[in-house]
């Protein structure tokens, strides 16, 4: 996807130093597991999406990622479809927040599903184990992402790359690691 490549280029080549700090609100998701010994060396960028030409909402996404009750099977009471991401970036400040963090960077969030990527010539599967997942409000097709979102994403990706020593080649889009979904 072109916008992923554009943001990576912007982060690495254009942004020397940010003059602004963006805030993030901690809103914990119950859907995660400890990373264990898997290296944290990837960032996967996703979009929340749309249906019928209408964007899914940040509120709905935050509920989907944090509320166990919306995942309970009505017949069995069993929790199904556990999904989460580390971060959600809205199209504009949302309730005074530039982004939401739902899972600690050092834990595994359930954002990539069945996925794979080649690193150092070897196929790596189950990318959740190795990555931080970032969700952008929108879909990039029905409605383009906002400059605000790109700015927040650039700031976040640059900070994550520097903090965890993540190489630029390992900043990918969901469509790169799971092209059929």
């Amino acid at each position: 996807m072109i916008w992923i490549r554009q943001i990576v280029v912007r982060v690495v080549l254009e942004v020397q130093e940010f003059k602004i700090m963006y805030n993030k609100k901690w809103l914990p998701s119950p859907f995660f597991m400890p990373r264990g010994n898997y290296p944290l060396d990837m960032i996967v960028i996703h979009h929340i999406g749309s249906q019928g030409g209408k964007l899914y909402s940040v509120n709905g996404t935050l509920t989907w990622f944090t509320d166990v009750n919306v995942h309970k099977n009505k017949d069995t009471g069993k929790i199904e479809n556990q999904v989460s991401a580390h971060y959600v970036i809205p199209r504009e400040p949302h309730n005074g927040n530039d982004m939401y963090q739902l899972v600690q960077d050092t834990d595994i969030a359930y954002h990539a599903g069945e996925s794979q990527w080649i690193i150092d010539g070897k196929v790596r599967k189950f990318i959740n184990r190795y990555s931080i997942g970032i969700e952008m409000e929108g879909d990039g097709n029905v409605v383009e992402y906002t400059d605000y979102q790109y700015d927040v994403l650039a700031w976040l990706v640059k900070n994550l790359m520097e903090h965890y020593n993540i190489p630029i080649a390992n900043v990918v889009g969901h469509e790169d690691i799971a092209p059929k979904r």
Side-chain angles (χ1 to χ4, degrees):
M1 186 177 263
I2 293 175
W3 70 271
I4 296 292
R5 304 293 174 238
Q6 290 171 339
I7 197 64
V8 170
V9 168
R10 181 174 177 195
V11 167
V12 174
L13 300 178
E14 297 177 16
V15 180
Q16 299 298 321
E17 187 173 325
F18 286 93
K19 295 181 169 64
I20 189 167
M21 292 281 296
Y22 291 97
N23 69 34
K24 58 185 168 185
K25 179 175 181 173
W26 173 245
L27 189 62
S29 173
F31 307 126
F32 71 92
M33 64 186 286
R35 192 173 300 278
N37 293 325
Y38 294 104
L40 173 50
D41 61 3
M42 293 186 73
I43 297 171
V44 180
I45 303 171
H46 307 265
H47 61 81
I48 291 173
S50 64
Q51 185 174 27
K54 188 173 181 184
L55 293 177
Y56 291 130
S57 72
V58 169
N59 288 336
T61 300
L62 294 174
T63 298
W64 185 247
F65 286 167
T66 61
D67 188 348
V68 173
N69 293 315
V70 299
H71 296 275
K72 281 188 181 175
N73 181 302
K74 289 177 177 36
D75 296 326
T76 66
K78 181 181 175 189
I79 304 297
E80 299 175 347
N81 296 323
Q82 296 182 33
V83 292
S84 59
H86 293 87
Y87 297 93
V88 174
I89 300 175
R91 294 182 51 73
E92 57 191 30
H94 181 263
N95 296 330
N97 302 297
D98 296 311
M99 71 188 90
Y100 293 87
Q101 183 172 7
L102 311 174
V103 174
Q104 294 291 338
D105 296 344
T106 53
D107 287 327
I108 295 173
Y110 307 133
H111 59 92
E114 188 175 329
S115 53
Q116 66 181 31
W117 189 245
I118 297 174
I119 295 185
D120 297 328
K122 296 179 183 174
V123 175
R124 182 186 279 180
K125 295 186 178 209
F126 307 109
I127 300 304
N128 285 340
R129 296 175 179 164
Y130 309 93
S131 63
I132 291 174
I134 303 170
E135 293 276 350
M136 299 275 284
E137 180 185 13
D139 70 357
N141 296 311
V142 172
V143 177
E144 291 189 23
Y145 299 104
T146 64
D147 288 341
Y148 166 80
Q149 283 180 293
Y150 282 123
D151 290 343
V152 174
L153 181 63
W155 178 87
L156 178 58
V157 169
K158 181 175 175 71
N159 281 287
L160 293 171
M161 286 175 67
E162 289 175 355
H163 186 76
Y164 296 107
N165 197 29
I166 297 172
I168 191 169
N170 292 1
V171 179
V172 297
H174 184 259
E175 71 282 352
D176 296 320
I177 60 165
K180 295 182 181 177
R181 293 184 309 110

